[in-house]
Amino acid sequence: MNQERVFKVLLGPHVTEKAAMAAERNQYVFKVAGDATKPEIKAAVQQLFGKKVDRVQVLNVKGKTKRTAHGTGQRKGYRKAYVTLAAGETLEDFSGAE
């Protein structure tokens, strides 16, 4: 995987309370591109951070439906990945802001 695709697959860390609790279990959460596959995400994390990835779980988050003065609208959805690192691996520099 070339360096350009790595930065297109991983859009950034997803920083929430739930993600912080998952980090204690050696799972890290990233926002990823809509067309990213599990093998691409695994290869991107291994190449970017130099850590061994155990498994990847991907889910699609639907955008919320919100009411406005002109009717209802839809917020944009996104895709996120829970990346579990191998035993003994950690991401110390995993402190990003959205």
Side-chain angles (χ1 to χ4, degrees):
M1 175 182 293
N2 61 1
Q3 194 69 17
E4 184 179 335
R5 182 63 182 156
V6 169
F7 291 114
K8 287 187 178 180
V9 168
L10 294 178
L11 302 178
H14 187 67
V15 183
T16 60
E17 287 183 34
K18 186 176 180 181
M21 288 189 297
E24 295 172 1
R25 295 186 314 273
N26 215 19
Q27 278 189 329
Y28 299 93
V29 187
F30 295 94
K31 282 190 179 180
V32 295
D35 62 343
T37 62
K38 287 183 180 183
E40 281 182 330
I41 295 167
K42 181 177 181 176
V45 171
Q46 287 179 345
Q47 187 174 348
L48 194 62
F49 296 104
K51 305 292 183 176
K52 186 169 180 348
V53 175
D54 188 30
R55 69 181 191 171
V56 177
Q57 294 176 302
V58 180
L59 61 104
N60 295 318
V61 180
K62 291 186 178 182
K64 287 184 176 181
T65 302
K66 301 299 267 183
R67 291 182 52 148
T68 65
H70 305 288
T72 59
Q74 186 81 14
R75 285 189 182 168
K76 191 174 179 183
Y78 58 94
R79 188 169 165 96
K80 65 181 176 178
Y82 285 86
V83 177
T84 305
L85 298 182
E89 301 275 359
T90 58
L91 292 179
E92 297 83 19
D93 55 343
F94 193 81
S95 60
E98 286 187 43

